[in-house]
Amino acid sequence: MSRLICHAETPPLAIERVEAQLIRLPGTGGSAGSLLARYRITGIDRLVLPPFTGRGRGDELWKHSCAELFLAPDTPGYREYNFAPTGRWAAYDFRDYRQPAGQYEPLELPEISVRRGDTMVVLDARLNPREITGFTRANLSMVLEEEGGHLSYWALVHPGARPDFHHPDSFLHEIEPA
């Protein structure tokens, strides 16, 4: 797993560590396997995780605890996925840096699951392999809410003075080909 770094302007209250990884799951019958984005949070004493509300699209998920996955091809443009512990998700396409092309309608809904222990939470989001065709790089990131509405921003790297998961220099993770 890759360790995510908290942006210096948004230190956490109790969260100790955040890690994320992309796992290519095996396919069947020679077909490509799905992509699993796994996020692990350690030090959850003050973490706010709203209860499961059912699968489906949601708006402004980044205002609370939310895992984010950005996928980029070798050409301009990228896709953003948001995965909330509530089971809600969002997906958006962008023509270029912060230039929205609109909501993306996945061919198959992302599957989100959350496992919580005494000191750790693991959020998994599985995407159908057809959803990731043509993407070669990724940015794994999280917004985490702790008690009192305190937000911290976590990513592989923070290239700017402010948290910005869309920044092209943050797409560091290479996606394994199918």
Side-chain angles (χ1 to χ4, degrees):
M1 290 193 99
S2 297
R3 187 169 187 167
L4 301 186
I5 300 162
C6 185
H7 195 280
E9 286 190 357
T10 65
L13 300 176
I15 295 166
E16 298 167 5
R17 187 177 183 104
V18 178
E19 298 168 298
Q21 73 182 118
L22 291 178
I23 302 165
R24 175 73 75 169
L25 300 173
T28 57
S31 64
S34 24
L35 188 69
L36 180 73
R38 175 166 287 161
Y39 301 83
R40 184 169 53 206
I41 306 126
T42 307
I44 59 170
D45 292 344
R46 300 177 77 181
L47 182 65
V48 175
L49 280 182
F52 181 79
T53 58
R55 290 176 64 197
R57 183 179 284 281
D59 291 319
E60 299 183 335
L61 300 175
W62 46 267
K63 289 186 173 183
H64 303 282
S65 292
C66 172
E68 300 196 13
L69 173 63
F70 291 79
L71 302 173
D74 290 330
T75 58
Y78 58 95
R79 180 168 299 146
E80 172 186 0
Y81 286 96
N82 300 160
F83 309 113
T86 61
R88 299 294 174 181
W89 58 270
Y92 308 95
D93 277 333
F94 292 83
R95 286 185 286 280
D96 209 335
Y97 175 67
R98 290 199 173 271
Q99 293 179 6
Q103 289 187 349
Y104 173 72
E105 293 299 329
L107 302 167
E108 183 178 307
L109 298 183
E111 292 180 23
I112 301 167
S113 65
V114 178
R115 296 181 312 279
R116 184 179 187 141
D118 293 337
T119 61
M120 180 187 315
V121 169
V122 176
L123 182 145
D124 286 339
R126 188 186 68 76
L127 296 173
N128 181 295
R130 293 178 298 170
E131 305 294 340
I132 57 172
T133 301
F135 294 109
T136 57
R137 298 171 292 119
N139 179 17
L140 295 140
S141 50
M142 289 197 92
V143 176
L144 293 173
E145 180 181 6
E146 292 179 274
E147 295 170 350
H150 178 81
L151 297 176
S152 57
Y153 298 86
W154 302 75
L156 293 168
V157 65
H158 295 282
R162 308 270 304 148
D164 183 2
F165 300 155
H166 293 254
H167 196 287
D169 291 343
S170 63
F171 291 76
L172 297 179
H173 189 89
E174 298 216 9
I175 298 173
E176 264 184 54

